[in-house]
Every structure is written in C-alpha cells, then in structure tokens.
Amino acid sequence: MTEPSPSPFAAPWEAQVFAMVVSLREAGLFTWSDWAERLGRGIRPADGPEGAADYGAWLATLEGILAERGVAEAESVAARTEAFRRAAAATPHGEPIRLENDPLYRP
C-alpha cells in the first residue's frame, strides 16, 4: 500500500489562496507574468530585506491586485480580515470559524 503524498499546503487557507489566484488568473484579472512580477516585488522589495515566498506573500500580492483593479478596496479587505480574526477568537476549538461568530457582526 502506498502512502499518500504530503499536501503542498500546511493549512486549508493556503489551498484557498492558491485556488483564488488560479481562478482569478483564469478569469483574466491578471496574467501569470504579471502575477510572477508582482509576487517577486513583494518578496524582494527594493527598499528592504527579502521576505518569505510563502502563501502569506501570495495573499498580500492578491490583495494588492484586487485593490489596484478596483475589485476589493484595501479598507474592505482589512475590515473583513479583522472581523474574521474576532470570529476566530470567539469560536470554540474544533468548530468552523464563521463570520457570524464575530461579536461585532451585524447582518
């Protein structure tokens, strides 16, 4: 019996970021060349040290493209990120994190 190969993702959110990048590229929001150039700039900024080439960098690059193209404003992304952080803190261990768990959530 062969053992399953290890996942390239350390956590589910990494797979989700990967899937969003692929889907948005396929939808024509950016090209792979544009993606590689933007990700590279994020990892190797001209005015700072080289960063990790991880899915955190992928997410930051994607957020930048979405804001630049008017798909999602940076303020909206930041507000939603904070809402999910509050929801995560309020969610019992082992339960799915849902935005409704944010103590400040208003439908």
Side-chain angles (χ1 to χ4, degrees):
M1 179 173 176
T2 59
E3 296 205 17
S5 56
S7 172
F9 308 108
W13 72 268
E14 293 179 350
Q16 292 168 341
V17 169
F18 180 85
M20 285 190 295
V21 168
V22 171
S23 294
L24 291 171
R25 204 283 318 157
E26 288 175 352
L29 188 64
F30 51 84
T31 65
W32 283 130
S33 297
D34 184 34
W35 173 257
E37 190 273 326
R38 303 260 324 223
L39 180 61
R41 254 189 322 191
I43 294 168
R44 294 183 191 99
D47 60 347
E50 185 170 326
D54 59 14
Y55 287 103
W58 279 52
L59 181 57
T61 300
L62 182 57
E63 288 174 349
I65 290 173
L66 294 175
E68 179 185 287
R69 307 275 162 90
V71 175
E73 295 179 359
E75 296 82 19
S76 296
V77 171
R80 183 56 59 103
T81 299
E82 287 308 310
F84 270 102
R85 284 190 177 134
R86 289 189 302 268
T91 300
H93 180 73
E95 295 293 319
I97 298 170
R98 293 191 172 91
L99 190 55
E100 295 83 21
N101 294 346
D102 173 8
L104 303 179
Y105 175 76
R106 303 287 179 261

